[in-house]
Amino acid sequence: MAHRNIPILRGLALGLALIAAKPCAGSGAVEYSGVASAKEAPLEARTIGDNSRQWVKTAQNNGASADDADAEAQRKLKQELDRLRRQPREGWATTTPTTPQKPPQQQQKSSPVNVGEAQPKSKRPAATTGTAEAQQKPKLAAPAAAPIEAPLPIGPAIDPEIDRAAGKVLFLRFPGTLPADVGPKAMRAMLQSGQIAGAMFSRQNIASKAQLRDLVKFLWQGNAAQRPFFAIREIGGKEDALPQLKEFEAWPAPGDIAGRGDPEYAYSTYRSLGFNLAHLGFNLNFGPALSPSGAAADPSSFGANPLQSGVFAKTFILGHKDTNVIAVPVVDQSELSVRALKSLLVAYPGTPVAATIGDETASLSAYENLVRGPRFCFLTMTAGAAETVSSFAKGCDVLVVDGGKESPAATRAALAGAIADAVRNGTLALADLQASAQRLSTLRGSAAAISNGFTTTSQ
């Protein structure tokens, strides 16, 4: 049976075995896998070929019995959720258990990039060659044919040791979708020379699945064991990085997941999500959100109950871990965020965190001596490189920087210069910078096969 191949034993000591095979009684709970029907026969998650219309599926709940320990852990977890809903604490908004329907296959929306219209799944066209339509479609530049740029020069005022340390704690956003674009070419040079540790993708980098896989392959063709971080923020809902196109699966929002009240369904959904991201070439996903905004229900979070948020965050992390994708919960300094993270750290003490450093979260002081993993900070260069680098003093280990209109190369040069200045004037110790780099290196080592076993190129 397919579900027995899922590594569910790793969390039994803490009651985190979230894959009991029995479906939630009376709820009709089945696994969500993007578009697969609940009535389909159970299938293993499989490698998708170049055809974007093959949809990912994972093992469906089929009513088969599981080990007694698994079933008991699942039963206790559901009882805990029921108790949290029956006895809400003062100031906590609860999530009413519902059974949301699977989101329908999304309609085509306009995209800033001109790409061919995806065909419906039921009308997959046969491959043709030599037609006028095929000749009109833009062709992606072949990654192998692209020249390998020389490493960007280190400024004469930057000590090489400081520059190397800076390269281990910087993630950059970048513009462009094709290997021939300026942004990807600059990112490729910096990734290959170790001047940055990772690339942060957004919708401006994604036009189609095939284009995205080719772009990732262009950015890194080196040793798989030394593969840099390719990061995205995709947690489900309408505001994530993957575009709202037919060929991309539609994932339920965290609020809908929590409303269903079934950790097994949540685990299956997030394992499918992790598989999709790994297949596209990602090895790090910034999610789930542990910081709901305002008093009203926020669909991007699991609700305002910190214990419930912690429970469902475990399903997100475990589902991603099973596909070799690192999940990084996004937090703020609210009490809910801190309490939810404490619940999560009992199971995963090395869990990293991420936060936007700005008006709402001025620092990560609330997590001092609590988080042992690296702390990622989302930043912009609007206030200048020196102000951006000062975030190291606010508890950040890794800077995920949006350089705005500046090129990635110019952004990196400005950040490296500001880091060197901070070390020289004593506001940033080189030992602290190297310790932050070590925490990120430890995170990479803690994830089995971080380069992941999924192909990122068409076969």
Side-chain angles (χ1 to χ4, degrees), residues 1 14 22 71 95 102 150 161 225 236 256 270 293 327 341 347 400 437 449:
M1 296 182 182
L14 296 169
K22 295 181 179 180
T95 304
K102 294 181 184 179
E161 185 178 11
D256 296 332
Y270 291 134
S293 58
L341 185 63
V400 185

Side-chain angles (χ1 to χ4, degrees), residues 217-231:
K217 181 184 177 182
F218 169 79
L219 292 177
W220 185 255
Q221 294 180 338
N223 191 326
Q226 299 175 345
R227 188 169 183 262
F229 288 98
F230 292 111

Side-chain angles (χ1 to χ4, degrees), residues 124-454:
R124 191 184 332 177
T128 59
T129 57
T131 63
E133 180 182 359
Q135 294 173 357
Q136 292 175 0
K137 292 184 178 179
K139 296 183 178 180
L140 299 179
I148 299 178
E149 297 80 5
L152 300 178
I154 299 174
I158 301 178
D159 182 273
E161 185 178 11
I162 297 175
D163 192 81
R164 285 192 297 270
K168 296 178 180 179
V169 294
L170 293 178
F171 281 38
L172 294 185
R173 296 180 183 270
F174 64 101
T177 58
L178 301 177
D181 294 338
V182 174
K185 291 173 73 172
M187 293 293 289
R188 173 190 169 99
M190 291 186 288
L191 289 167
Q192 290 187 339
S193 61
Q195 291 188 309
I196 57 175
M200 182 69 188
F201 287 71
S202 64
R203 284 193 182 185
Q204 67 175 328
N205 308 123
I206 304 172
S208 69
K209 286 186 175 181
Q211 167 269 323
L212 179 56
R213 288 193 293 267
D214 284 341
L215 177 59
V216 170
K217 181 184 177 182
F218 169 79
L219 292 177
W220 185 255
Q221 294 180 338
N223 191 326
Q226 299 175 345
R227 188 169 183 262
F229 288 98
F230 292 111
I232 194 169
R233 175 159 171 74
E234 180 67 37
I235 61 175
K238 299 180 179 179
E239 304 301 325
D240 288 338
L242 295 179
Q244 303 295 299
L245 300 175
K246 288 183 178 180
E247 66 174 312
F248 287 98
E249 292 75 10
W251 302 101
D256 296 332
I257 292 285
R260 187 154 185 155
D262 185 354
E264 182 180 354
Y265 166 80
Y267 167 81
S268 298
T269 300
Y270 291 134
R271 187 173 187 273
S272 295
L273 172 58
F275 178 88
N276 273 260
L277 295 180
H279 177 68
L280 292 171
F282 297 107
N283 51 23
L284 189 148
N285 186 15
F286 286 107
L290 298 182
S291 51
S293 58
D298 185 348
S300 68
S301 77
F302 293 122
N305 186 317
L307 297 181
Q308 175 176 286
S309 293
V311 167
F312 284 105
K314 294 172 188 176
T315 70
F316 192 102
I317 291 175
L318 184 57
H320 280 62
K321 188 174 183 181
D322 284 348
T323 58
N324 299 323
V325 176
I326 297 174
V328 182
V330 180
V331 301
D332 58 16
Q333 293 205 100
S334 66
E335 180 183 358
L336 182 147
S337 192
V338 174
R339 290 172 66 94
L341 185 63
K342 286 181 177 180
S343 173
L344 187 59
L345 291 174
V346 173
Y348 301 107
T351 299
V353 297
T356 299
I357 299 298
D359 295 337
E360 296 182 1
T361 303
S363 71
L364 291 175
S365 59
Y367 303 95
E368 191 69 28
N369 301 321
L370 176 63
V371 176
R372 297 190 310 193
R375 293 156 293 189
F376 296 80
C377 292
F378 302 120
L379 299 153
T380 63
M381 290 278 284
T382 54
E387 179 64 25
T388 302
V389 168
S390 69
S391 298
F392 284 116
K394 301 174 182 178
C396 303
D397 289 309
V398 183
L399 307 186
V400 185
V401 182
D402 183 350
K405 295 182 179 180
E406 292 292 333
S407 69
T411 299
R412 199 278 176 188
L415 291 172
I419 290 174
D421 290 342
V423 173
R424 282 195 295 266
N425 63 33
T427 59
L428 175 62
L430 179 59
D432 291 340
L433 189 65
Q434 292 171 334
S436 293
Q438 182 58 46
R439 277 189 281 273
L440 184 61
S441 177
T442 300
L443 176 67
R444 177 191 296 274
S446 68
I450 183 62
S451 58
N452 75 55
F454 301 98

